[in-house]
Amino acid sequence: MSTRSEILSVLDDLIRLEDVKACMVAKKGLDGVVPEKNEIDDIDLWKLIRKTTDDFFTIIRDFYDYGLKSIDSEIDDYIVDLTVLDKNTALIVIYPALANRGLLEVEIENRKREIDEIMR
Amino acid sequence: MSEDFKASVTVSRLWDGKRVGQELVDKIKQDDVDPDFILLFSTIHYEGEFQKFLDIVKDEFPDAPLVGGTVAGFMSQQGCYTRGVSAMAVEYEDMEVSYTIGHNTKGKPKSKAKKCSKEIREELKDSEHDEKLVFMFTSGSEMPSIPGLGSKRVYNSKVASFLASKLLWISSKLFGKGVGKEEIVLKNVSEELPEFKIIGGSTTDNNKMASNFQFFDKKVSRNSLVLLAVGINKNVYMTSEAAVEKTEEELKIKKGSKGYIIKEIDDNYATEKLLERFNWPKEFLNESLHRKTFFYPLIFEKEGEIFPEVMGVIIGNKIICGYEIDSERLFLGRTSGQTLLETIDKVFGNTEIFEKADLNFTIYCSALLEAIGKDFFNLRESITENLGETPFLLIATSGEDFRVPGNIPKHTNETINAATFL
């Protein structure tokens, strides 16, 4: 199995959680591995998320060496959560602002660890 | 581990119920355990799959009594999870086991607890073992859903508040939903089984308080209590710690007709006064309020023990707590990731004890899990530092039950309770 399909399998599993509306392993410009299932179909929202995350990737690159692990922001009714994988790549998970975030964080961390293993 | 005591703690992360059941069975067999009892827990994501994995586990181990239910998450030597299924299987010759189920605990908590306890007492009456332990899992609170509004934690409008308060009481009678009443269950189990140590929790979902389930062999139930008791030729070391700090900030309260409702604080409407005491704006009264209140539980004192209460639901000017408040005086509490780590050290810090441990079973509040999120992994590091390779299972429930003979029973929130087999 290729690295890409292994990562896709991890993301396919993550997006089965009811509160996860979209997820991907991506670089700046949201270029990366994206599962087929995606519950956000608002194009304007995606444009906003892409613009915002582009700025986040600049911050990740600048602060990666200082131990930056994650960045999140509330956009519209969603949380956009970036978990840093390396200087240019993040696991991006989008979930409703009112979701039980603490429980989701545990599963996001599990997926991050699995992807770390795959990318090693 | 003593040669004749065997325990297997297994986790499955598969999605299909049949494959989950088979994976649990295979792992228990790999650990060379022929179980005398099994505790089995699942997150709510497997609703629709419960029956499949219970059938497979019970078909493979038909003589092993099985109890359990739904939890918000769990932790073991394998990792930390808020989605998955876990099982703790124990084999030990020098042990008697009894188990039972009682239905409609929200409607008849006292009589069901008494009925179940009497069955346990009768079955274990000839047990020659001094050490007796009960695992108990009771259906936790479930918020009824209001047509058009759904199931909420904060009802602001007058109409919605009126409907919610009526529905909350009616639905426990008619639909088996509403407040869990686990403190009544625990009190009565404790009275009927005074020589038993008790550890237990309230079954729950992913902290949405919409639905929860109990497992009894192949049966999947709601609104029920399951008990599994052992008389055992081993010591069981019990520890309980509240993961909160009690401040000296005191609230004088007036309760509603039900003991878990706070109507007034300091002679004012409860919700308004609470916001004032916390110095929080009214805008905080929304569906994410619980993320803040988890860090600030209310606390009452009884016989030298502290009882933290999570504020479950706000209905207009009333605050609905998780269980009956046994005082007119409350104190503000607070917790944090640091408090939790310190509490874990208190629970697991007795190295002389834990060096000898064969198995540990811990119950941890699901509100704490929601509050700390991925720091759950730091707690695991701290626990495994103390436990080494000893198998353990920690489950996150929406209320915790604990009693050692001679002490008062405690149904609480935001505590960490452990039973360790030595």
Side-chain angles (χ1 to χ4, degrees):
Chain A
M1 201 188 266
S2 69
T3 301
R4 190 183 174 86
S5 52
E6 279 186 70
I7 291 173
L8 194 57
S9 159
V10 172
L11 295 176
D12 280 338
D13 203 82
L14 180 60
I15 205 159
R16 288 183 72 164
L17 294 178
E18 181 192 350
D19 283 330
V20 175
K21 300 302 175 194
C23 64
M24 64 194 76
V25 168
K27 297 181 189 298
K28 195 170 180 174
L30 298 185
D31 173 31
V33 185
V34 187
E36 223 169 85
K37 189 182 166 198
N38 161 24
E39 291 184 23
I40 300 175
D41 50 13
D42 180 339
I43 301 291
D44 289 336
L45 180 60
W46 272 117
K47 282 181 185 165
L48 184 61
I49 289 169
R50 190 169 69 182
K51 188 175 180 323
T52 321
T53 50
D54 278 356
D55 291 341
F56 288 159
F57 276 107
T58 307
I59 296 170
I60 289 171
R61 215 172 33 248
D62 289 349
F63 292 92
Y64 179 79
D65 292 335
Y66 297 97
L68 179 68
K69 288 182 178 142
S70 65
I71 303 177
D72 60 68
S73 66
E74 197 168 329
I75 300 176
D76 203 354
D77 292 330
Y78 296 97
I79 301 285
V80 179
D81 183 309
L82 281 83
T83 304
V84 177
L85 295 167
D86 64 30
K87 220 167 185 170
N88 299 303
T89 322
L91 165 63
I92 304 175
V93 183
I94 301 170
Y95 51 88
L98 292 177
N100 282 326
R101 188 173 178 167
L103 300 185
L104 268 179
E105 276 185 12
V106 173
E107 284 308 317
I108 293 170
E109 178 64 20
N110 274 320
R111 298 315 177 191
K112 187 246 176 204
R113 289 174 184 215
E114 286 173 39
I115 294 165
D116 277 343
E117 280 293 313
I118 294 167
M119 288 172 60
R120 192 174 284 169
Chain B
M1 194 179 288
S2 333
E3 274 181 24
D4 46 356
F5 182 91
K6 293 182 188 172
S8 168
V9 175
T10 64
V11 172
S12 177
R13 300 269 289 155
L14 298 169
W15 284 94
D16 175 72
K18 283 186 180 171
R19 292 180 65 203
V20 167
Q22 198 53 55
E23 187 172 38
L24 295 176
V25 164
D26 291 345
K27 285 182 181 170
I28 292 169
K29 284 179 164 179
Q30 263 171 32
D31 288 340
D32 193 26
V33 173
D34 181 12
D36 290 303
F37 74 83
I38 299 169
L39 305 183
L40 194 149
F41 305 98
S42 170
T43 58
I44 197 70
H45 310 92
Y46 293 81
E47 192 177 348
E49 302 293 311
F50 299 146
Q51 196 62 61
K52 294 177 194 164
F53 58 69
L54 289 174
D55 284 350
I56 286 183
V57 173
K58 273 305 289 186
D59 283 345
E60 188 63 36
F61 305 116
D63 299 329
L66 181 155
V67 300
T70 50
V71 295
F74 51 86
M75 178 198 291
S76 72
Q77 290 284 1
Q78 282 168 263
C80 302
Y81 310 100
T82 52
R83 198 271 298 165
V85 184
S86 63
M88 184 178 102
V90 175
E91 177 186 353
Y92 190 48
E93 200 173 308
D94 218 352
M95 169 175 77
E96 296 90 25
V97 182
S98 169
Y99 68 133
T100 183
I101 182 167
H103 300 289
N104 190 18
T105 45
K106 290 188 177 75
K108 296 183 172 176
K110 183 177 175 180
S111 65
K112 297 302 175 176
K114 286 206 178 290
K115 172 204 128 321
C116 289
S117 310
K118 281 175 184 163
E119 286 170 18
I120 296 281
R121 166 167 296 291
E122 182 58 27
E123 276 202 37
L124 291 184
K125 69 180 179 200
D126 296 326
S127 171
E128 290 173 358
H129 301 307
D130 290 336
E131 192 67 286
K132 293 188 173 71
L133 173 70
V134 177
F135 298 97
M136 66 177 267
F137 305 101
T138 311
S139 175
S141 299
E142 292 172 300
M143 279 307 295
S145 179
I146 299 178
L149 282 176
S151 183
K152 293 167 66 112
R153 284 176 179 267
V154 176
Y155 294 92
N156 278 324
S157 84
K158 278 186 181 170
V159 176
S161 302
F162 176 78
L163 283 173
S165 58
K166 294 293 171 206
L167 197 61
L168 191 61
W169 319 136
I170 294 167
S171 62
S172 73
K173 301 279 181 206
L174 295 182
F175 311 118
K177 289 214 163 198
V179 178
K181 301 178 186 170
E182 305 96 312
E183 73 283 6
I184 304 174
V185 173
L186 175 65
K187 179 175 179 280
N188 286 281
V189 172
S190 301
E191 282 173 8
E192 292 295 328
L193 300 171
E195 74 278 32
F196 282 71
K197 294 174 177 173
I198 299 172
I199 187 163
S202 312
T203 55
T204 187
D205 54 14
N206 47 353
N207 276 348
K208 291 183 177 171
M209 291 165 63
S211 60
N212 63 76
F213 298 85
Q214 302 75 50
F215 305 145
F216 183 80
D217 284 340
K218 287 184 179 181
K219 247 185 243 169
V220 180
S221 297
R222 299 180 79 152
N223 188 19
S224 299
L225 154 76
V226 291
L227 294 180
L228 187 144
V230 295
I232 187 168
N233 185 22
K234 259 182 126 39
N235 290 322
V236 181
Y237 176 72
M238 304 285 282
T239 37
S240 172
E241 293 287 343
V244 298
E245 294 169 48
K246 174 179 152 277
T247 71
E248 292 311 311
E249 288 270 320
E250 194 178 329
L251 311 173
K252 188 182 78 177
I253 63 157
K254 195 175 276 180
K255 290 184 280 183
S257 55
K258 310 284 178 189
Y260 31 80
I261 305 171
I262 304 174
K263 268 171 62 182
E264 290 181 12
I265 295 174
D266 300 338
D267 300 318
N268 289 284
Y269 287 130
T271 309
E272 275 178 30
K273 193 67 185 176
L274 187 83
L275 291 175
E276 188 187 313
R277 292 294 293 264
F278 280 128
N279 205 13
W280 285 349
K282 276 190 177 168
E283 287 70 30
F284 274 22
L285 280 181
N286 60 39
E287 284 300 301
S288 58
L289 178 71
H290 66 285
R291 288 210 205 108
K292 300 173 188 73
T293 56
F294 282 170
F295 288 99
Y296 301 99
L298 302 175
I299 292 173
F300 68 86
E301 289 180 310
K302 186 179 166 188
E303 297 184 34
E305 299 278 358
I306 67 165
F307 290 72
E309 284 262 12
V310 164
M311 290 173 259
V313 179
I314 305 283
I315 299 182
N317 272 309
K318 296 173 190 159
I319 300 166
I320 316 297
C321 289
Y323 60 97
E324 187 162 348
I325 305 156
D326 205 354
S327 176
E328 302 295 322
R329 284 170 70 219
L330 292 179
F331 295 89
L332 296 182
R334 63 177 170 225
T335 190
S336 64
Q338 185 58 33
T339 310
L340 269 166
L341 278 172
E342 287 165 12
T343 309
I344 285 287
D345 278 344
K346 283 185 201 164
V347 174
F348 293 95
N350 189 334
T351 47
E352 276 181 32
I353 290 287
F354 288 102
E355 274 170 8
K356 295 184 287 186
D358 282 337
L359 173 68
N360 169 272
F361 179 66
T362 297
I363 297 199
Y364 173 92
C365 182
S366 60
L368 295 172
L369 175 52
E370 173 60 27
I372 64 161
K374 66 183 171 194
D375 283 337
F376 200 41
F377 289 85
N378 295 336
L379 294 192
R380 183 173 165 275
E381 272 178 32
S382 185
I383 290 172
T384 50
E385 265 174 32
N386 289 298
L387 280 177
E389 291 180 2
T390 302
F392 77 96
L393 178 63
L394 176 152
I395 57 167
T397 61
S398 61
E400 306 83 64
D401 299 304
F402 187 85
R403 204 281 303 265
V404 288
N407 287 3
I408 56 169
K410 291 196 300 178
H411 174 80
T412 52
N413 299 137
E414 307 216 349
T415 52
I416 302 172
N417 300 330
T420 306
F421 292 78
L422 305 171

